[in-house]
Amino acid sequence: MKKIWFVTTEAVPLAKTGGLADVCGTLPSILNSRGFVPEIIMPWYKTIEAKQVGRMMVRLGAENRYVRIGRIDLAGVEVKLIGAPQFFHREGLYGTESGSYADNDRRFIFFSRAATKYIQRQENTGLIHAHDWFTGLVPFYVKTRPELSEFASVFTIHNLRHQGQFAADSFRLTGLDWKHFSPQGVEYYGQLNLMKAGIVGADRITTVSPTYSREIQTQEFGEGLESVLRSRREDLTGIVNGIDTRTWNPEIDPYLGEEEKFGPEDMGGKDKVKTNLLDKFSLAGAGDEPLVGMVSRLAEQKGIRLLLQNEQAITNLPGRWLILGTGEPELEAGLKRLEKSAPGKIKVIIDFNEKLAHRIVAGSDLYCMPSRFEPCGLNQLYCAQYGTVPVVHRTGGLADTVVDVRETEDAGRATGFSFTKYKPRSFRKTLEAAMSCYHDQPEFWKQLQANGFEKDFSWEKSAEQYVEIYDSIS
Ligand code: ADP
């Protein structure tokens, strides 16, 4: 039995801001049944109720700080919590609406040091799997400390945009020798870069789709770290995330009424969800026009700008739009203006609402995901299970998981529509093609839906690929 520690700042259902939480909350429980003994190590946020099982001292710069260790069980997986209320009893995980916490360098360097120390004190050795910049120092400690030489590490990049870059002064908090503050180490143009620490430190690096793993080695998507990533390309692998089919399944979806549940053989429930959504949001009167859905963080990354630049086309094309999201105030305001330009046709809901997210995915005919870049993306995977046809920008995980109608000769493979150039016109043309297909080729549309249902986006499949990586270094 191999021991594997997941060092992470999020895991569903304990704490979540993005896909990172899904990976760290789901993958360990699957590994449990595949010959591994997984354990999660994460911060003890104030929302997590747990029992204290130990304590230790952890250094941060010149100080020694006291840490409480908590323990809970998550679907058969042990979770160890690093208790430091001054750092982790906060309103948000990384910041508030007004920005990131000013002491995020201290918070996550401390967490990385504490997690490493905790692991080092255990009797057995094994693998350490760290996630995103918050824990980037962990693989670096494993690589550089002789007392950790029996361990191997994997580092996963969930989103390269956020790198944990801090002034050089923060380096002294790490306890590392100054020789590591170099271009071969954790320094990046005179600053401390914690994402880079993970990339240069880990034995293997993964990211959340094969296409994104190639894109991040280019200047366009590499966020400045492309040459570091290129230097590690032999050890870099892309693995698409799975989805939680216990909640994202139209036959048992807890957010659909009994009459609304559906499956590939009987899609009646899907029509009911659509009708109920159109009524609830005063979008009725659409006849047989498609309902286009969108659920997203409202950030530049998500391609909201392409919608705003196509206001006229969107108002003129057939279809009703239901958009749910929160995020950057400027994009929220832009979408609200779009809504005003076509009342009764476009509804924008500024909220974070799990139930409505499920219902939009379930009731929509088309789903819009024009992300500028997308490491993996989850909603296009959900859509496949719900007979909802995605329109996406062909990038990252979207390129790997949506097969464009025009890209394949084989009608049995196509699952959606995608555009290559990130330009308003390309997006508009693809949207028009999807709308015409919906209207003019109902039989082919059914085929697209059926092809989606056939796809296997389960965690079991992704877990197999992670196991291959773990086996290669242990
Ligand atoms: P990212 O992690 O970049 O935000 P993903 O597509 O990987 O993008 O995951 C986003 C997840 O968050 C999806 O499950 C999506 O449905 C959900 N989500 C995003 N915005 C909202 C919202 N406003 N309300 C409910 N769920 C949302």
Side-chain angles (χ1 to χ4, degrees), residues 16-19 159 248 295-297 301-302 324-326 351-354 357 369 374 376-379 382:
K16 170 168 174 169
T17 69
N159 190 337
W248 286 100
V295 181
S296 180
R297 272 190 300 122
Q301 179 200 332
K302 298 293 178 182
L324 169 68
T326 53
D351 188 15
F352 192 97
N353 184 328
E354 186 80 15
M369 217 165 159
E374 192 60 81
C376 177
L378 288 172
N379 279 305
Y382 300 148

Side-chain angles (χ1 to χ4, degrees), residues 247-280:
T247 48
W248 286 100
N249 172 348
E251 291 177 27
I252 51 172
D253 190 318
Y255 298 111
L256 300 183
E258 277 320 304
E259 300 275 285
E260 294 176 329
K261 293 192 178 26
F262 63 95
E265 305 305 326
D266 178 9
M267 299 277 277
K270 184 173 177 72
D271 294 335
K272 289 205 177 71
V273 188
K274 176 176 174 181
T275 310
N276 291 339
L277 284 173
L278 292 174
D279 282 348
K280 183 175 165 80

Side-chain angles (χ1 to χ4, degrees), residues 342-447:
K345 186 176 169 76
I346 302 170
K347 179 75 191 170
V348 175
I349 302 138
I350 304 295
D351 188 15
F352 192 97
N353 184 328
E354 186 80 15
K355 177 176 179 186
L356 189 53
H358 278 247
R359 297 182 61 76
I360 291 177
V361 167
S364 297
D365 301 295
L366 276 163
Y367 189 89
C368 185
M369 217 165 159
S371 307
R372 178 185 276 275
F373 72 94
E374 192 60 81
C376 177
L378 288 172
N379 279 305
Q380 85 279 13
L381 309 180
Y382 300 148
C383 282
Q385 312 296 304
Y386 285 76
T388 304
V389 176
V391 175
V392 305
H393 178 216
R394 199 179 301 173
T395 183
L398 298 172
D400 292 324
T401 56
V402 175
V403 182
D404 184 87
V405 168
R406 296 156 300 182
E407 180 193 335
T408 172
E409 298 282 294
D410 178 0
R413 283 187 63 236
T415 57
F417 296 81
S418 61
F419 58 98
T420 308
K421 277 201 188 123
Y422 187 79
K423 294 268 191 278
R425 184 168 182 279
S426 320
F427 172 51
R428 184 171 71 244
K429 290 277 165 209
T430 305
L431 200 55
E432 282 168 6
M435 298 245 181
S436 316
C437 180
Y438 176 82
H439 191 263
D440 302 335
Q441 297 173 271
E443 283 310 311
F444 182 57
W445 193 265
K446 282 193 195 127
Q447 170 86 52

Side-chain angles (χ1 to χ4, degrees), residues 86 125 152 254 335:
Q86 69 278 30
T125 59
L335 284 175

